């Protein structure tokens, strides 16, 4: 790998904070308190929920409790993909009918535009560039999956999606061995930390109370318990995504899946000219163990994928430090896609966790009997989905409190979806590690053995995972 130990910043939360700085320190909870709504977690979900509730009902007393600082988790470490994917759509189609899933997809398409509109209204400079999302195929098997994926997306009403061959793909971005791609306009590149810092400042200016360095250890009906005191509220909303397992009684609710990223040094104009990527699309591929990447505002490539996928006992890291083998694997993807960048240095590496339910379906719920609500399980597609979740929690709270009725959002099929818990250890550790090892092997076989069929190994892994 073209990087030295002295030049590589490994961990430190993420490149995004190294680039833009850490947010100002906010005070922890100072004792027992009361609120109308207590929100657990100061990431995108919690902040969007606070934003929309306060906008709809300015009189509400809303308190956000965050264990570290707002944006410490996935909201400040992700790949900066604002796009229209949502985890579980096909399952919701099977459970509630195709038209219900089409409504869910339309809501996600609209969500991309909504996030962009709010950043403009609230003057949040998040390095937003709406270039859409380009997903590429580099093997015959990937091309077959890509074409099937493209048709599948069209069936959910995405009529503005486009399919490209090798030549048209190269006109957008020159990736070695690319044989085709599919592009949707419903996507944008952004700077994750700038977005979450801007959101936190915005909700604070609206009168929302933010307490940081305040870990919630237990959630009970109308109570959020912390070491510094208990917040009593009519509604307690859990917005903790990959950190949910740390809460009492939630160990097996959502699995904290690990994802890792690298960022290169800034590329030269000559290097960008060789690659293309002038549209600054969010970039993904059709591998089973997929990658995701963006061209950053300061001219780097930030690229991510699965490293060590899961830590035994649902543990999470503290600072995002990443194993050397994972950094090397991500660098190998970078240079396989762009051989001309073999000598480019990797300057940053980091990791974080995302929330994965047992059936891989994102959900949003409010239990009207207890006042407990939650949203999450985005399986890595949370940058946009969190916004839809925040607006939906707003509508559910207003409906329950008599300030509103049913809405298009409360009728979406992901609302009130329940799922069984993950298996106990060591079975979930063995299952997740075995699943991703199988996906990587399947990708290797497809690269070595040209053919249009997906590896049978990947299909086995899908069944084990419960994804199909």
């Amino acid at each position: 790998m073209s990087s030295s130990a002295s030049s590589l910043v490994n961990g430190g939360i993420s490149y995004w904070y190294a680039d833009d700085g850490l947010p100002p320190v906010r005070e922890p909870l100072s004792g027992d308190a009361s609120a109308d709504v207590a929100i657990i977690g100061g990431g995108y979900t919690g902040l969007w929920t606070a934003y929309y509730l306060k906008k709809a009902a300015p009189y509400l007393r809303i308190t956000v409790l965050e264990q570290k600082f707002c944006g410490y988790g996935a909201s400040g470490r992700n790949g900066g993909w604002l796009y229209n994917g949502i985890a579980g759509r096909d399952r919701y189609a099977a459970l509630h009918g195709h038209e219900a899933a089409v409504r869910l997809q339309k809501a996600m398409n609209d969500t991309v535009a909504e996030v962009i509109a709010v950043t403009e209204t609230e003057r949040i400079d998040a390095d937003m560039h709406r270039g859409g999302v380009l997903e590429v195929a580099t093997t015959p098997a990937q091309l077959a999956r890509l074409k099937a994926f493209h048709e599948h997306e069209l069936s959910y009403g995405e009529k503005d999606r486009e399919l490209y061959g090798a030549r048209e793909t190269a006109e957008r971005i020159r990736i070695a061995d690319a044989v085709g791609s599919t592009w949707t306009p419903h996507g944008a590149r952004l700077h994750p930390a700038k977005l979450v810092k801007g959101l936190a400042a915005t909700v604070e200016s609206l009168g929302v109370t933010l307490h940081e360095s305040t870990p919630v250890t237990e959630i009970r009906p109308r109570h959020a318990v912390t070491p510094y005191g208990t917040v009593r509220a009519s509604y307690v909303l859990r917005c903790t995504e990959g950190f949910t397992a740390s809460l009492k009684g939630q160990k097996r609710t959502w699995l904290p899946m690990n994802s890792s990223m690298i960022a290169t040094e800034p590329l030269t104009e000559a290097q960008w000219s060789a690659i293309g990527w002038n549209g600054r699309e969010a970039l993904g591929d059709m591998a089973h163990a997929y990658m995701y990447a963006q061209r950053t505002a300061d001219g780097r490539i930030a690229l991510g994928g699965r490293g060590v996928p899961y830590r035994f006992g649902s543990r999470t890291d503290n600072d995002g430090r990443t194993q050397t083998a994972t950094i090397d694997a991500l660098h190998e993807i970078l240079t396989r896609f762009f051989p001309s960048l073999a000598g480019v240095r990797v300057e940053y590496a980091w990791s974080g966790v995302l929330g994965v339910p047992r059936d891989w379906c994102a959900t949003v719920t409010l239990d009207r009997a207890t006042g407990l609500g939650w949203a999450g399980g985005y399986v890595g597609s949370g940058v946009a989905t969190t916004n839809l979740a925040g607006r939906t929690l707003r509508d559910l709270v207003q409906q329950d409190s008599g300030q509103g009725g049913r809405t298009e959002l409360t009728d979406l099929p992901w609302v009130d979806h329940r799922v069984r818990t993950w298996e106990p250890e060591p079975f979930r550790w063995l299952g997740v590690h075995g699943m991703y090892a199988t996906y990587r092997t399947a990708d290797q076989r497809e690269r070595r053995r040209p053919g249009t069929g997906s590896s049978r190994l990947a299909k086995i892994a899908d069944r084990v995972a419960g994804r199909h």
Side-chain angles (χ1 to χ4, degrees):
M1 182 185 70
S2 182
S3 179
S4 67
S6 61
S7 64
L8 176 68
V9 178
N10 188 349
I13 305 172
S14 72
Y15 156 70
W16 310 116
Y17 284 114
D19 174 58
D20 196 55
L22 293 175
V25 176
R26 296 180 175 92
E27 295 298 318
L29 185 69
S30 60
D32 291 345
S34 63
D36 298 311
V37 181
I39 295 172
I40 318 307
Y44 290 150
T45 305
L47 294 174
W48 281 125
T49 303
Y51 175 80
Y52 286 109
L53 274 171
K54 196 66 172 175
K55 283 285 195 178
Y59 55 83
L60 285 176
R61 297 172 302 143
I62 302 172
T63 296
V64 176
L65 302 171
E66 163 57 42
Q67 69 165 338
K68 296 281 189 177
F69 60 81
C70 290
Y72 173 80
S75 299
R77 308 190 198 195
N78 63 80
W81 270 44
L82 177 73
Y83 87 118
N84 65 339
I86 184 167
R89 185 194 59 190
D90 288 353
R91 191 178 295 270
Y92 288 129
L95 291 171
H96 301 279
H98 183 74
E99 287 308 309
V102 168
R103 287 189 289 108
L104 182 60
Q105 184 59 65
K106 182 181 184 303
M108 282 303 306
N109 296 348
D110 294 342
T111 293
V112 173
E114 169 70 12
V115 173
I116 294 170
V118 172
T119 60
E120 292 172 349
T121 299
E122 302 297 347
R123 299 182 180 179
I124 299 171
D125 181 4
D127 292 345
M128 193 80 69
H129 183 87
R130 190 169 187 175
V133 179
L134 187 75
E135 292 170 277
V136 301
T138 58
T139 68
Q142 286 188 22
L143 182 61
R145 286 198 297 275
L146 179 121
K147 290 178 177 178
F149 168 74
H150 177 82
E151 293 301 319
H152 198 54
E153 297 306 294
L154 295 182
S155 76
Y156 283 101
E158 200 179 335
K159 302 305 182 187
D160 43 7
R161 176 175 285 273
E162 299 177 3
L163 182 67
Y164 303 136
R167 180 182 57 80
E168 293 168 303
T169 301
E171 288 172 356
R172 283 182 172 262
I173 183 169
R174 287 181 281 282
I175 294 171
D177 301 323
V179 290
S181 62
T182 179
W183 176 82
T184 175
H186 301 291
R189 172 216 73 191
L190 57 77
H191 188 299
K194 288 183 179 180
L195 176 59
V196 74
K197 288 163 68 175
L199 271 178
T202 298
V203 300
E204 202 167 36
S205 72
L206 293 174
V208 173
T209 300
L210 302 182
H211 288 301
E212 297 180 328
S213 301
T214 305
V216 172
T217 55
E218 184 180 0
I219 296 174
R220 300 198 300 265
R222 297 173 178 84
H223 293 76
V225 181
T226 85
Y228 304 110
T230 296
V231 177
R232 292 168 175 80
S234 300
Y235 299 97
V236 179
L237 308 179
R238 189 186 81 222
C239 303
T240 48
E241 192 57 0
F243 293 88
T244 300
S246 64
L247 292 165
K248 183 177 180 180
Q250 304 294 332
K251 193 78 169 179
R252 292 161 55 194
T253 300
W254 291 333
L255 185 141
M257 187 80 76
N258 205 53
S259 198
S260 301
M261 293 197 71
I262 58 173
T264 68
E265 63 182 323
L267 303 190
T268 65
E269 285 301 318
Q271 288 168 327
W272 282 121
S273 179
I275 292 171
W277 209 349
N278 296 323
R280 291 167 173 77
E281 302 90 344
L283 176 67
D285 74 349
M286 298 305 294
H288 300 292
Y290 55 87
M291 58 76 70
Y292 51 95
Q294 68 150 281
R295 175 176 175 170
T296 67
D298 63 347
R300 304 171 190 269
I301 293 177
L303 181 148
R306 297 289 181 266
V308 176
Y310 171 71
R311 291 181 172 85
F312 191 88
S314 292
R315 292 194 300 272
T316 58
D317 68 82
N318 290 320
D319 68 351
R321 189 165 182 83
T322 301
Q323 289 189 347
T324 300
T326 298
I327 299 171
D328 290 345
L330 294 174
H331 183 258
E332 189 274 330
I333 294 172
L334 175 73
T335 55
R336 176 157 38 88
F337 271 48
F338 307 112
S340 65
L341 301 184
V344 169
R345 287 185 297 114
V346 172
E347 291 193 340
Y348 298 90
W350 69 98
S351 298
V353 291
L354 50 100
V356 181
R358 189 62 184 89
D359 65 354
W360 301 71
C361 290
T363 59
V364 58
T365 298
L366 179 66
D367 186 331
R368 304 184 72 170
T370 63
L372 297 178
W374 58 89
Y378 307 121
V379 196
S381 298
V383 179
T385 315
T386 51
N387 178 276
L388 181 61
R391 287 183 285 134
T392 306
L393 281 172
R394 171 202 61 194
D395 288 0
L396 289 170
V397 168
Q398 289 204 287
Q399 179 184 5
D400 184 70
S401 62
Q403 302 302 306
R406 290 173 55 180
T407 69
E408 290 183 1
L409 299 186
T410 62
D411 285 343
L412 290 174
W414 71 323
V415 174
D416 292 333
H417 177 76
R418 305 296 175 101
V419 62
R420 68 183 175 92
T421 57
W422 281 87
E423 291 79 1
E425 296 291 22
F427 301 107
R428 67 177 179 271
W429 186 92
L430 292 168
V432 173
H433 279 259
M435 174 184 70
Y436 273 100
T438 303
Y439 282 141
R440 285 191 288 268
T441 301
D443 287 329
Q444 291 165 3
R445 286 190 177 183
E446 288 178 3
R447 286 196 295 270
R448 288 197 307 263
R449 302 175 186 174
T452 58
S454 291
S455 169
R456 283 180 289 183
L457 285 175
K459 296 174 182 177
I460 294 170
D462 282 342
R463 286 196 294 271
V464 171
R467 301 174 83 165
H468 295 291

